């Protein structure tokens, strides 16, 4: 890769579910590429300190502090952009993109969401759509990656309760979702970031990719695969919206986040996210990671912990 006089790839959300995997895969395939990992706090920085031996720079990035955005983007020419689910997400995105333009960023890979250009009645999808519009209007070449939901959500959102209660709860009925492994999303992002502005990969520029798993699964089917994969019975409990709101409140979620989660489950029950695509195979040359393989790879995470 031509490093364009030492300029860098900036990975935002570098300790997050997707960003950490992007960083991991970038460091495994890059040769002489300058990578900067953006983190929110010094405590978070410790999680990725291992990569500094591979030449990764760590930069503090607080979206509410413009000076940290400016500093993180110095000498950056490619950006993996992941924003937070917050009410002022579009303002944050606008600030980042404006600074990116000033600093000569010539390519943005944005983690978006399937349906970002739709009118499905979801606040989070609307925000992603508005962020995509900001990037398009900036004139900076882009690729939008639109997954429906992550397999890793069963670790980050449901892992604790699976470990302690052998169950997980959601107001999803028997709706199906084409869960995708974040390792597949990262593989696509890395392919774009390493080659995205080269002539051979122009077909990916200014394009949108719905990135899904191999098959759409109901939460009941997920529970069955989890049970088979980790060797004990895991149950899916379909709950009411009111019960879901109460549960989210109990774990400290704010009212706005609870609202957007309930919205999301409503459109899931209406069929959102059940479509599958061949984008992962098309770009990586292999089939997406199956849910059963995900469970096998992360079986230790689901080990039973008695209360």
């Amino acid at each position: 890769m031509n490093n364009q006089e030492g300029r860098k790839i900036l990975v935002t959300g570098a300790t997050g579910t997707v960003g950490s995997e992007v960083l991991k895969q970038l460091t495994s395939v890059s040769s002489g590429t300058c990578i900067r990992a953006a983190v929110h706090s010094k405590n978070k920085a410790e999680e990725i300190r291992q990569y500094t031996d591979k030449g990764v720079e760590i930069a503090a990035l607080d979206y509410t502090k413009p000076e940290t955005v400016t500093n993180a983007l110095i000498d950056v020419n490619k950006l993996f952009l992941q924003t937070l689910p917050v009410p002022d997400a579009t303002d944050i995105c606008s600030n980042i993109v404006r600074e990116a333009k000033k600093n000569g960023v010539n390519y943005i890979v944005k983690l978006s969401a399937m349906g970002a250009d739709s009118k499905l009645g979801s606040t989070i999808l609307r925000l992603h759509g508005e962020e995509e519009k900001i990037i398009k209007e900036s004139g900076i070449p882009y690729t939008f990656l639109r997954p429906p939901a992550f397999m890793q959500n069963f670790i980050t959102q449901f892992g604790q309760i699976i470990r302690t209660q052998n169950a997980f709860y959601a107001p999803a009925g028997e709706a199906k979702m084409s869960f995708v492994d974040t390792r597949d999303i990262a593989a696509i992002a890395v392919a774009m970031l390493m080659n995205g502005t080269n002539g051979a990969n122009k077909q990916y520029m200014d394009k949108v990719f719905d990135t899904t798993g191999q098959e759409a699964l109901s939460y009941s089917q997920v529970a069955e695969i989890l049970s088979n994969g980790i060797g004990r019975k895991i149950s899916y409990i379909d709950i009411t919206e009111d019960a879901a709101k109460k549960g989210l409140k109990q774990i400290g979620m704010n009212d706005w986040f609870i609202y957007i989660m309930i919205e999301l489950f409503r459109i899931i029950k209406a069929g959102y996210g059940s479509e599958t695509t061949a984008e992962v195979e098309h770009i990586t040359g292999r089939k997406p990671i199956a849910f059963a393989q995900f469970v096998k790879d992360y079986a230790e995470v689901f080990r039973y912990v008695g209360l």
Side-chain angles (χ1 to χ4, degrees), residues 24-51:
K24 179 181 177 181
Q25 293 189 31
L26 267 177
T27 56
S28 70
V29 302
S30 65
S31 177
T33 302
C34 295
I35 301 166
R36 182 177 292 154
V39 299
H40 184 72
S41 66
K42 289 183 179 179
N43 290 339
K44 286 287 188 180
E46 291 304 315
E47 298 178 22
I48 56 173
R49 193 72 64 188
Q50 59 184 305
Y51 297 114

Side-chain angles (χ1 to χ4, degrees), residues 260-274:
I260 66 168
M261 288 302 296
I262 296 302
E263 271 189 338
L264 200 53
F265 276 113
R266 284 177 187 163
I267 66 171
I268 287 171
K269 289 181 80 167
Y272 164 77
S274 59

Side-chain angles (χ1 to χ4, degrees), residues 109-113 143-147 185 188-189 192 209 211:
V109 176
K110 172 183 161 48
L111 181 64
S112 188
T143 302
F144 299 148
L145 304 183
R146 292 180 178 170
I185 300 171
I188 292 176
M192 303 300 181
F209 296 95
T211 52

Side-chain angles (χ1 to χ4, degrees), residues 9-30 35-37 48 51 56 79-82 109-111 145 182-194:
I9 295 173
L10 175 65
V11 178
T12 64
T15 59
T17 305
V18 179
S20 61
E21 191 61 40
V22 171
L23 181 62
K24 179 181 177 181
Q25 293 189 31
L26 267 177
T27 56
S28 70
V29 302
S30 65
I35 301 166
R36 182 177 292 154
I48 56 173
Y51 297 114
V56 173
L79 170 63
F80 175 75
L81 179 59
Q82 180 175 1
V109 176
K110 172 183 161 48
L111 181 64
L145 304 183
T182 58
R183 293 172 292 181
D184 284 334
I185 300 171
I188 292 176
V190 169
M192 303 300 181
L193 290 164
M194 294 299 291

Side-chain angles (χ1 to χ4, degrees), residues 214-231:
Q214 291 188 25
E215 58 184 338
L217 299 169
S218 69
Y219 283 77
S220 294
Q221 290 173 310
V222 165
E224 183 178 355
I225 296 170
L226 280 165
S227 300
N228 293 336
I230 61 183

Side-chain angles (χ1 to χ4, degrees), residues 116-157:
D117 58 348
S118 67
K119 300 191 183 301
L120 287 171
S122 163
T123 300
I124 195 67
L125 296 186
R126 175 180 58 78
L127 289 174
H128 275 299
E130 290 172 359
E131 291 172 349
E132 289 184 359
K133 186 171 183 286
I134 288 166
I135 294 169
K136 286 179 180 179
E137 290 179 349
S138 75
I140 301 173
Y142 63 84
T143 302
F144 299 148
L145 304 183
R146 292 180 178 170
F150 309 143
M151 293 180 185
Q152 279 74 5
N153 289 350
F154 288 92
I155 298 172
T156 58
Q157 295 178 10

Side-chain angles (χ1 to χ4, degrees), residues 166-169 223 227 233-237:
N166 293 323
F168 60 94
Y169 304 78
S227 300
K233 175 65 175 175
I234 304 298
S235 299
Y236 158 58
I237 313 299

